[in-house]
């Protein structure tokens, strides 16, 4: 069964950093690009970032450019999202999803990031 | 990078049809055929119901259909059922190599 699982969330103070991970099971994540999507409490879905299959192409929503960095380790079937200089408005559930050509198929359940002083 | 525009809510009675619109620009919705739709229940991960404007993934009911005209894409659900009550989001590729969601539409089955 294909499955994505995120980890690394937590409660952190503004300005601190977190590293989120997305691990795949049941399929080879290295065959696909991966999106990260977040959902703030009571709000809608927001596309955050994308990393291509080979890791050479990375794209980010303007509000996170310079603070969020994507990477992937295809040997471990994982993708990571490094989040620096966290802000209160970064508080959300962060989910990774498999790209199948500008749309997302397999989704994880998400990991919660709470930024609070 | 503004979100695509969707109505905040729509409603319909069982058996009826409803349509949810998703309006963007020529740089996203109108620019190519990369519009998809997702259904989300509270506390659950989104589920793909339409991709590439009109295509339906295996296992998704034939009652779900998609279309597009100019800068506006639409999701139609026919023969409404109680289980269709959920939040629906459109999603589009943009010409600047980013992607964007719509604001979401809450579907209520009366």
């Amino acid at each position: 069964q294909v499955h994505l699982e995120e980890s690394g969330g937590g409660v952190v103070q503004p300005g601190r950093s977190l590293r989120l991970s997305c691990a795949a099971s049941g399929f080879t994540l290295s065959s696909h690009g991966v999106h990260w999507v977040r959902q703030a409490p009571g709000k809608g879905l927001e596309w955050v970032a994308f990393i291509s299959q080979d890791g050479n192409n990375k794209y980010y929503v303007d509000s996170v450019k310079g603070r969020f960095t994507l990477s992937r380790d295809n040997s471990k079937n994982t993708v990571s999202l490094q989040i620096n200089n966290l802000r209160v408005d970064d508080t959300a559930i962060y989910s990774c999803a498999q790209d199948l050509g500008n749309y997302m198929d397999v989704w994880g359940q998400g990991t919660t990031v709470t930024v609070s002083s | 990078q503004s979100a695509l525009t969707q109505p905040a809510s729509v409603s319909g009675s069982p058996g009826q049809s409803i349509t949810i619109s998703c309006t963007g620009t020529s740089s996203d919705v109108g620019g190519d055929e990369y519009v998809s739709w997702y259904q989300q229940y509270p506390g659950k991960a989104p589920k793909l119901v339409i991709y590439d404007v009109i295509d339906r993934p295996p296992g998704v009911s034939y009652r779900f259909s998609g279309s597009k005209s100019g800068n506006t894409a639409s999701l139609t659900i026919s023969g409404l059922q109680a289980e269709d009550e959920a939040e629906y989001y459109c999603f589009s590729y943009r010409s600047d190599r980013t992607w964007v969601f719509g604001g979401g539409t809450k579907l209520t089955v009366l």
Side-chain angles (χ1 to χ4, degrees):
Chain A
Q1 184 178 2
V2 296
H3 182 69
L4 286 173
E5 184 169 359
E6 304 87 346
S7 60
V11 180
V12 296
Q13 294 179 325
R16 304 300 289 264
S17 299
L18 276 177
R19 188 175 185 85
L20 308 184
S21 292
C22 172
S25 57
F27 70 104
T28 303
L29 191 59
S30 61
S31 299
H32 303 279
V34 173
H35 294 273
W36 283 87
V37 174
R38 67 184 178 183
Q39 189 165 29
K43 302 296 184 181
L45 301 174
E46 179 184 25
W47 176 82
V48 173
F50 170 84
I51 185 167
S52 61
Q53 175 183 341
D54 59 8
N56 289 334
N57 298 299
K58 305 168 190 178
Y59 306 104
Y60 305 91
V61 68
D62 283 349
S63 59
V64 309
K65 284 180 181 177
R67 300 189 300 120
F68 287 27
T69 303
L70 277 167
S71 61
R72 67 189 303 160
D73 186 339
N74 286 338
S75 67
K76 296 182 178 179
N77 225 20
T78 61
V79 169
S80 296
L81 180 66
Q82 177 70 35
I83 308 177
N84 296 330
N85 191 21
L86 275 156
R87 309 189 310 210
V88 172
D89 62 358
D90 292 322
T91 295
I93 297 173
Y94 286 73
S95 301
C96 60
Q98 174 196 40
D99 177 80
L100 286 183
N102 298 299
Y103 62 93
M104 293 167 280
D105 186 6
V106 179
W107 292 69
Q109 287 299 317
T111 186
T112 300
V113 172
T114 303
V115 185
S116 173
S117 55
Chain B
Q1 291 174 323
S2 301
L4 305 174
T5 301
Q6 296 181 233
S9 63
V10 298
S11 63
S13 299
Q16 289 185 329
S17 295
I18 63 94
T19 296
I20 299 172
S21 61
C22 170
T23 301
T25 70
S26 58
S27 296
D28 39 62
V29 173
D32 50 46
E33 304 307 296
Y34 297 132
V35 177
S36 51
W37 291 88
Y38 301 85
Q39 174 192 62
Q40 187 182 36
Y41 295 113
K44 300 297 185 181
K47 173 189 173 184
L48 177 71
V49 295
I50 293 288
Y51 67 98
D52 292 352
V53 178
I54 61 172
D55 292 330
R56 199 168 47 246
V60 172
S61 172
Y62 68 93
R63 299 183 297 105
F64 289 80
S65 62
S67 62
K68 191 184 79 163
S69 177
N71 297 336
T72 299
S74 299
L75 172 70
T76 298
I77 308 174
S78 59
L80 268 180
Q81 298 179 0
E83 67 198 49
D84 299 330
E85 185 163 299
E87 193 86 18
Y88 291 84
Y89 295 90
C90 60
F91 179 71
S92 176
Y93 175 70
R94 311 190 93 161
S95 58
D96 62 356
R97 298 189 180 181
T98 62
W99 288 260
V100 62
F101 279 101
T105 299
K106 180 173 175 56
L107 169 61
T108 300
V109 181
L110 302 171

